[in-house]
Amino acid sequence: MIRLGHINMAFVAGLALVCAGCASSGPDIAYVTGRVTMDGKPLAHATVVFVPENGRPAGATTDSDGNYVLNFSEGRRGAIPGTSTVRIMTFRDADQDEDGQTIAGSPETVPSQYNTESTLTFDVQPKKKNVANFELKSEGRLASRDI
């Protein structure tokens, strides 16, 4: 069984890669935006990660209305064209900002079929503005977490 604590570390490492890099170089990417809902309501502050078959993942955090725009690297918005596995999660460990203020963590509310055992995919089309909306259902098993 995959534990959420281990998966969270992988997401954090993947997102760190998403945020690193040079704004003017790298592979061709295509713009991707969308909206995530769960049981018909916006899923706010969720992490959305597109993991392509080959290459670097792209990620974003949804706003209060569940909207997101994928970030590939600093200054570059989008994702590598082709089929990606999509992982959506709400779990975050508590952290601190640059000023040392505590940022509250959040529990996982998204069933594992959308994150640790994701069945979601999206085919990113090159040279297009892709819209990837996801309508999730809260039924399902939540991933367990190491404590």
Side-chain angles (χ1 to χ4, degrees):
M1 177 188 290
I2 297 175
R3 300 268 183 204
L4 186 55
H6 293 93
I7 293 300
N8 188 41
M9 299 268 294
F11 279 148
V12 171
L15 288 176
L17 289 174
V18 168
C19 296
C22 179
S24 62
S25 66
D28 287 338
I29 59 173
Y31 188 82
V32 180
T33 187
R35 185 167 191 245
V36 181
T37 60
M38 190 155 65
D39 299 329
K41 297 177 184 169
L43 188 60
H45 313 294
T47 301
V48 179
V49 180
F50 277 48
V51 182
E53 293 172 343
N54 295 302
R56 177 193 304 195
T61 300
T62 60
D63 65 14
S64 59
D65 292 322
N67 298 308
Y68 70 92
V69 177
L70 287 181
N71 293 304
F72 181 73
S73 63
E74 189 175 314
R76 297 185 73 200
R77 291 187 170 206
I80 292 176
T83 302
S84 287
T85 298
V86 180
R87 301 183 189 283
I88 302 171
M89 61 185 257
T90 56
F91 175 81
R92 270 186 310 282
D93 284 321
D95 202 358
Q96 289 186 344
D97 65 15
E98 304 87 36
D99 299 324
Q101 299 296 313
T102 299
I103 300 170
S106 63
E108 185 59 74
T109 60
V110 177
S112 60
Q113 72 260 25
Y114 305 122
N115 51 53
T116 58
E117 300 168 11
S118 185
T119 58
L120 298 173
T121 60
F122 186 80
D123 189 26
V124 177
Q125 297 295 310
K127 300 179 183 176
K128 289 188 177 183
K129 289 190 174 184
N130 295 268
V131 177
N133 296 323
F134 298 98
E135 298 177 8
L136 313 181
K137 301 289 181 198
S138 61
E139 296 102 23
R141 182 177 58 82
L142 296 177
S144 61
R145 181 172 182 258
D146 290 335
I147 298 181

